[in-house]
Structure formats: C-alpha cells, structure tokens
Amino acid sequence: MSNLRTGAGKRSVQWTLLILAVLLSCLPVLVLVVSSFKLESQIFTFRPVVLFRPHISAYLFLVDKFPQFFRTLLNSTIVTLGACAAVLAISIPAAYSYSRLFSRRRARSSYYLIAVRMFPPIIILIPLYPALRAIGLLDTYISLIVVYAAFQVSLSTMILKSFLDGVPRELDEQTYIDGCTRLQSFWYVTLPALAPGIISSAIFVAVFAWNDFDFAFLLTGRHTKTAAIMISEMQGMVQEGALNYGDLFAAATIHVIPILIFVFAVQKWMVKGFTVGAVKG
Amino acid sequence: MLLLPVMAVLTIVILLPELWSLFLSLTNYSLGVPIRFIGIKNYVDLLRESGFLLAVVRNFIFVLLVVLLQTVYGVGLALLLARGFPLQKLWLALLIVPIAISPSVMAVIWKYLLNFNIGPIDWIVQQFGLSRIQWLSDPRLAFLTVSLVYVWASTPHVLVIVYPARLTFPQTLYESASVEGASAWQTFRNVTWPLLQPVLSVVIIFRIMIAFRTFGIIWTMTQGGPDRSTETVAIYLYNEGFRYWKFGAASAVALVMLVLTLVIAGGQMRTMYRNLFEDAS
C-alpha cells in the first residue's frame, strides 16, 4: 500500500515537472500570439489583462498601413525556398558520392566539409561584405541564397549520406540488371527512397534561412530585407513610439506561425537529423 | 565530379574570403582608405585593448554559464521525458518550440515580458512583494538576463540529441538495477551516467562552440549594452567592422575567434570523420 502511494507520488512529481517545462518553453510564445489580438490599451497596463475579447485591429493595421512587412515576408519566402533548392542540388550529388562511390581519397576530402562547419558565420562577413559591395551583389537574393547554402551544405551532405547508407545498394543493382543507367536508377529508385533524408535536411535549411538574423542583417537592404530583420526594425520603431506594440506582436506572430507549423509537421524527421548532425556529423 | 559543386561553394564563400581576411588582418584596411601593410600591428593592438580583452573574458563566462545550465536542464528533461508519458510525442514537440523562433522574435517576446513598465514578469515579481527589476537596463543584471534567455532558446538543442540517445540505452540494465533494489541515484550513477557520457561529451563541445559565436540574440536584445556589459567577442567584432569600418582590425578579431573555435572543437573533427564513414571503412 505504501509502495503504491510513493509510486503515485513520484508520478505526480514527474507530471508536475513536465508541465512546468512545457509551460516554460511555450508560454512566452503563447503570450506573444495572444497579445497580438489585444488592443493597445490592454497591452499597455502593468497588471496583465488575461481575459479579453480578441481584436484583429493590429493585423488590419499591418495590411492597411504597413504593407512593407508583407514584402519582407515574401523576401523571406524567396530566400528560404531558394536556399533549400540550392542546398539540395549541391548536397545530394555529394552525399551520393560519399555513400556509393567510396574511396579513401574521396573520404578524406570530407575533412574539408567538416572543418568548414566550424567556421563562425560572423567572421566570414568581415571579408565578404566589402567584396560583395565591390561587385554590386549586396542586397540581392542570389548572394544571400549562396551564403546560406555554403553554411548549410556540409550538415546537409552528412545527413543525406547517413540516410543514403540506409538505402540498400541491392536496390540500385537490381535496376542495373534491368538495363537502367546509373542516372536513371538514381532518379527512379534511390531518390524516392531518400525522401525522408531530403525532408530532414530541408528542415534545417528552412529553419536556418527563415530565422537567420546574422547574415540578413548585413547582406540585405531595401530590396531583399527579410521579415526577421523587418521585425527587429519594427521593435526599434515601437521604442521610439512610432509603432504600436500590438502591430509588432502581430508581425512577429505572422513570422512565427508558418515555421512553427512546419516544425511540428516534420518533427519526426527533424529529431533524426539532429542526431546525425550533432553526434555523427 | 559529384563533389565539385560542394567544394566550389565552400571554397568561394568560405575558404577564399577567410584567406583574404587573413591578409586583411595584416593591413589597415578600412572603407575609403588605400590598403597599407602594417604587419602584426592589429594583433598587438588587440592585446593592449581592454575592451577586447574584457569581451573575451565575458564571452568565456557566458559560454561556461549557458552551457552548464542548458546541459543540466536539457539532460534533466531528456531523462524525465524518457520515463514515458501518454502523448509523448506531443510533449517533445512542445518542449522544442524555441528551436523554431528567430532571434528577432525572441527579442520581441522577451523584451516585452521583461519590460520594466508593462512586462508581466515584473508584475509577478511585484505580487511577491519584491520591487520591480530592471532586467535589461541594469548593467549588473543584463548579462545574466541575456544568458538566461539564451538558455531558454538553446536547451532544446541538448534535448533533441540526448533524448533519442537515452531511448537506445538497453532496458534490461534498468530492469536488473531495479531487481537489485538500486536507488534512483544509484541507477543514475551506475547505469545512465556511463551510457550518457559519449553523447554528452560531443554535445557539450558542440554547444560550447555554438555559444561562443553567439551574435543575433545578444544583438537584438541589448546590442552589447548597457554600458558594454553584454559585449561578447562577436559583438566586438561587429562593432569594429560595421560600426567603425575597421576591416583590418576586425579581421584580426575574426582570426582570433576562429583559432579559439578550433582549439575548442578541432579535436572533434576526427570523431566526426570516423562516425561519418564508420560503416564503409
């Protein structure tokens, strides 16, 4: 009987800790989302307003008076999709090569990928910024996409290689017997089997590109400014009194929701990628 | 052939700029000034510059503090979650929410929550009969505040690696520990801890490396202030390069940063290489 009681006691402690940890992770984000539906007067009180009728006035304001935000959201979408495409186009062949065409010399070349992953992004901006400026590539999509790709191809190659190692070679060999070329066999057999790996590495690129502050802060300008940078500027405007808190919260909510849904949807593959990325690669 | 694109991108975006930066660090290069070779003057100046030395010390304290906290908290969460709960996957998904949030949105959230005049956290503090706290504008406190926000943001990165690793630990060891009547502490000490060690050492080195280069979250929260109290090496580097346009001096800082990173994590390269090719060789 007493055993049962301590067992139940232990269980409730575990539940309490879990709930507290979940609240700590989610409550700050939830407060942001909820507050974006408040009126400014409901935000601007010291005593928090918990129950209120939701208003969408902040969102209407963004649409009516602050359309530049949506332009930056479009920019974020373009560079995120561009970076995903670029990284996959570069790292799928590389991963295939490391997984299927093994030679010691080829394997040694991966030291280059490993070493480069250790470079802090910010130190590359010091030489890159004046160089891009000199050749007129500041504030272009292409420079941002290429820089994102360079910092993500290494992880992506490692994730894809590890997934490819799990796709049985017999599958390819079977198709050679059927008279397929290597390319055909790759396209029709290996690539579909690699789908989870592709999703897994695309998540990392997408989250990185969508959320990036360090690079976009310096490499974008009037034409290519991403939403992450815009939100940071809007925060400055709020502090100067040129913008309402509610409008800032609405913009931040719009920025967070798509990536949050994406991460939720693909969580299974994400965890696998982390394991490969941090422990293996 | 298949490796050509990845090698090309890494060389053009990272290696060549880094070599160029190495050269720049020996010059007085600044925007609009002709480049002049000045030997190791930039490095010598750095060693005399108390602002830089303080940034290095501050950076090490930051790394020590946040890696310690995120490891203890992250491992704790992983072990707790591994106890098994209904809706296990949902809890994991909710715990890793901060992974999907960009630094600029984090700044929006936390600068509001910690706001002296309208922040809910100071309201809670006051309900406990304490006086309100200047979380971000008090130079003695801002460093700790930013560190804690960083821990909030980065703990999920520990969780997503340690939790799947914990699930691979053989259940039979835990069963025999429980048959022999081992206490929770003894089980942790003799079963979990030894199994945890390999993954933990990799995670810790990775987290040290990442924490060391932190820029976005500190910049968006405090820009290194107030009174330079949150100025880490990355912030110092940014100011040298992009506030004072001293690219020569900034390159020297960048190189010091790279060397420190390689000292911290360079030893991991062999492990990463071996893990990447463990099946093939």
Side-chain angles (χ1 to χ4, degrees), chain A residues 11 44 53 84 126 140 143 147 200 225 272:
Chain A
R11 199 64 191 147
F44 246 96
R53 236 184 80 202
C84 285
I126 296 292
T140 59
S143 57
V147 169
S200 182
K225 188 181 295 164
K272 162 97 179 160

Side-chain angles (χ1 to χ4, degrees), chain A:
Chain A
M1 190 63 202
S2 77
N3 229 350
L4 189 73
R5 199 176 302 151
T6 53
K10 231 165 96 185
R11 199 64 191 147
S12 55
V13 170
Q14 287 171 2
W15 271 107
T16 311
L17 291 175
L18 180 68
I19 301 291
L20 283 177
V22 166
L23 283 178
L24 183 59
S25 280
C26 297
L27 205 54
V29 183
L30 197 65
V31 168
L32 170 78
V33 175
V34 169
S35 301
S36 72
F37 294 102
K38 285 181 178 177
L39 294 173
E40 198 65 3
S41 60
Q42 294 163 331
I43 297 171
F44 246 96
T45 58
F46 186 54
R47 186 196 180 85
V49 177
V50 179
L51 292 173
F52 61 96
R53 236 184 80 202
H55 292 268
I56 56 164
S57 49
Y59 292 88
L60 293 178
F61 173 86
L62 286 182
V63 173
D64 269 357
K65 305 275 164 52
F66 212 83
Q68 37 311 24
F69 174 70
F70 295 95
R71 172 64 205 269
T72 63
L73 211 56
L74 177 67
N75 289 340
S76 288
T77 312
I78 293 171
V79 293
T80 301
L81 294 178
C84 285
V87 167
L88 289 174
I90 296 167
S91 57
I92 289 175
Y96 184 84
S97 154
Y98 282 129
S99 173
R100 295 298 145 98
L101 315 166
F102 188 81
S103 78
R104 187 149 292 276
R105 234 184 81 218
R106 194 188 301 274
R108 288 260 182 262
S109 73
S110 73
Y111 266 116
Y112 189 35
L113 274 75
I114 292 169
V116 152
R117 255 192 83 190
M118 301 200 164
F119 278 56
I122 187 142
I123 73 170
I124 293 301
L125 284 166
I126 296 292
L128 216 50
Y129 180 88
L132 288 172
R133 193 176 134 114
I135 53 178
L137 279 178
L138 277 184
D139 196 13
T140 59
Y141 295 124
I142 189 73
S143 57
L144 204 55
I145 289 171
V146 170
V147 169
Y148 286 164
F151 275 89
Q152 291 292 310
V153 281
S154 175
L155 173 63
S156 178
T157 302
M158 288 166 192
I159 292 176
L160 287 166
K161 189 226 172 232
S162 133
F163 274 94
L164 261 175
D165 288 344
V167 177
R169 270 154 207 266
E170 290 73 32
L171 272 180
D172 316 14
E173 278 152 20
Q174 193 62 47
T175 56
Y176 298 151
I177 298 167
D178 297 340
C180 283
T181 65
R182 189 158 223 146
L183 188 63
Q184 282 173 324
S185 138
F186 174 77
W187 189 258
Y188 292 110
V189 178
T190 315
L191 203 56
L194 189 58
I198 291 175
I199 297 172
S200 182
S201 45
I203 301 163
F204 285 87
V205 185
V207 171
F208 173 82
W210 184 260
N211 286 340
D212 168 67
F213 181 83
D214 303 11
F215 290 112
F217 184 44
L218 285 164
L219 300 183
T220 66
R222 218 151 46 86
H223 305 290
T224 56
K225 188 181 295 164
T226 58
I229 303 305
M230 188 56 156
I231 287 167
S232 194
E233 285 179 8
M234 288 169 76
Q235 182 152 39
M237 294 177 185
V238 169
Q239 272 150 15
E240 289 158 14
L243 202 69
N244 283 338
Y245 263 102
D247 308 332
L248 175 65
F249 291 164
T253 300
I254 295 173
H255 186 247
V256 153
I257 295 299
I259 197 78
L260 217 49
I261 291 174
F262 181 59
V263 165
F264 261 65
V266 294
Q267 198 218 136
K268 187 171 88 190
W269 293 286
M270 188 172 190
V271 172
K272 162 97 179 160
F274 267 116
T275 309
V276 174
V279 183
K280 300 195 80 184

